[in-house]
Amino acid sequence: MWDSFSFSESDHPRVLITGGLGQLGVGLAKLLRKRFGRNNVILSDIRKPADNVFYSGPFIYTDILDYKNLREIVVNNRITWLFHYSALLSAVGEANVPLARAVNITGLHNVLDIAAEHNLRLFVPSTIGAFGPTSPRDPTPDLCIQRPRTIYGVSKVHAELMGEYYHYRYGLDFRCLRYPGIISADSQPGGGTTDYAVQIFHDAIKTGKFQCNLKPDTRLPMMYIDDCLKATLEVMEAPSETLSMRTYNISAMSFTPEELAQEVQKHVPELQVTYKVDDVRQAIADSWPMNFDDRNARRDWGWKHDYDLPELVTTMFNFLGEESRS
Ligand SMILES: NC(=O)c1ccc[n+]([C@@H]2O[C@H](COP(=O)([O-])OP(=O)(O)OC[C@H]3O[C@@H](n4cnc5c(N)ncnc54)[C@H](O)[C@@H]3O)[C@@H](O)[C@H]2O)c1
């Protein structure tokens, strides 16, 4: 039944991923299944999975707002590690604040209580959006002023603080990484401020025209999805004593729309880029870090990224090129 190479039946974790059908969860499930065995990683969401996702391993309906449903799934499946990916992202959150507050804050409370009650190792991603206009932006260290002005950012600061509080108060094994904007080829972004950096590749291939919703000189930290998922697995596997903190920045590259467009034009020289600024997204981006200081992650648990901008762009085109040919 088990198909894990590196873990015996008794020492591998039993994993649940909440909000797993978004931009990041399916890729995370794939990576974790390779490491821990297909049947030891359960993907969950409130949406209906596509056929290829459904047949790639265990999937279950889980609404994080339903405490009893979540607890039943954790108990019945003897879950030991939980990756809590459900969230409403920055731009979507601003469009529906009550729902963002419910999912990102009330949902997190459910997850924290169940994780503490059942002694789970809990991963919750945070974001560059957990900083605001009064934070140092270039670079942004792990510990500094955090006064974000989006419901997304406020809920993520809350998650960082609550997770750390549960860790110190109840011994919960809480681990958190602040992700930059994540760029992926085979999954769609879920309504964040950095979505443009995924869209440009699709539009370059499909139409040769891209309209950017941020100003050309808006610098934001970004990361290729493989680096993000690698960091997530690494921090979860790191021995507890190596973690001097429970919430870490992770960083790979930082670029502006103009710099990304130039790199993309090396592959698609005819690409035409125009700018039509979305005021909500621009205001959010202007309050976020331009560069992320991740020295603590590099020192404590050996974080190291593999993809800089040129490798990222080449990898995206290799992937999307293959897809458009198939
Ligand atoms: N993608 C990025 O660039 C990025 C950057 C920083 C942090 N993060 C964080 O990583 C995590 C995953 O991000 P993503 O881009 O995959 O998000 P996404 O928006 O693409 O997916 C989130 C998923 O949560 C699900 N969800 C919503 N309400 C739910 C509920 N009540 N119960 C269960 N599931 C529910 C949605 O159906 C969706 O599939 C999030 O916590 C996000 O804040 C992402």
Side-chain angles (χ1 to χ4, degrees), residues 10-207:
S10 53
D11 66 3
H12 55 69
R14 300 258 319 152
V15 176
L16 177 68
I17 304 170
T18 68
L21 295 186
Q23 187 191 0
L24 306 184
V26 174
L28 180 69
K30 199 169 158 197
L31 179 71
L32 297 179
R33 282 173 179 156
K34 231 186 256 166
R35 183 111 177 93
F36 302 128
R38 181 180 188 271
N39 294 324
N40 293 316
V41 178
I42 302 175
L43 204 51
S44 75
D45 208 298
I46 52 172
R47 293 195 274 158
K48 210 190 221 179
D51 280 358
N52 63 329
V53 175
F54 186 71
Y55 292 112
S56 67
F59 176 86
I60 201 162
Y61 171 89
T62 311
D63 181 352
I64 56 154
L65 294 176
D66 183 343
Y67 185 88
K68 281 176 72 179
N69 167 240
L70 185 59
R71 186 171 58 188
E72 193 177 321
I73 284 157
V74 165
V75 168
N76 285 351
N77 295 286
R78 298 180 301 117
I79 297 301
T80 56
W81 287 16
L82 197 154
F83 293 79
H84 178 47
Y85 268 9
S86 311
L88 258 62
L89 270 51
S90 55
V92 179
E94 288 314 291
N96 192 343
V97 174
L99 185 63
R101 202 178 66 177
V103 173
N104 296 5
I105 298 179
T106 310
L108 173 91
H109 292 170
N110 289 342
V111 167
L112 276 176
D113 284 339
I114 287 165
E117 193 180 311
H118 299 282
N119 208 15
L120 307 185
R121 185 171 295 184
L122 173 64
F123 179 84
V124 180
S126 185
T127 157
I128 49 175
F131 297 95
T134 50
S135 308
R137 294 178 61 218
D138 190 16
T140 305
D142 278 308
L143 296 176
C144 62
I145 292 172
Q146 287 180 268
R147 286 290 180 276
R149 299 220 179 136
T150 58
I151 186 63
Y152 179 60
V154 168
S155 67
K156 289 293 188 180
V157 177
H158 178 74
E160 294 176 6
L161 290 173
M162 285 297 283
E164 290 182 9
Y165 175 73
Y166 270 55
H167 172 67
Y168 295 114
R169 180 79 170 76
Y170 303 116
L172 174 69
D173 193 349
F174 170 81
R175 301 173 186 218
C176 174
L177 297 180
R178 295 193 190 102
Y179 293 164
I182 306 301
I183 296 163
S184 59
D186 59 348
S187 55
Q188 288 298 319
T193 302
T194 53
D195 289 4
Y196 89 86
V198 177
Q199 197 56 44
I200 189 171
F201 292 96
H202 293 278
D203 291 1
I205 288 175
K206 271 194 211 124
T207 63

Side-chain angles (χ1 to χ4, degrees), residues 283-297:
I284 294 174
D286 287 342
S287 74
W288 281 5
M290 299 162 80
N291 279 294
F292 229 21
D293 178 346
D294 64 354
R295 271 176 293 181
N296 291 319

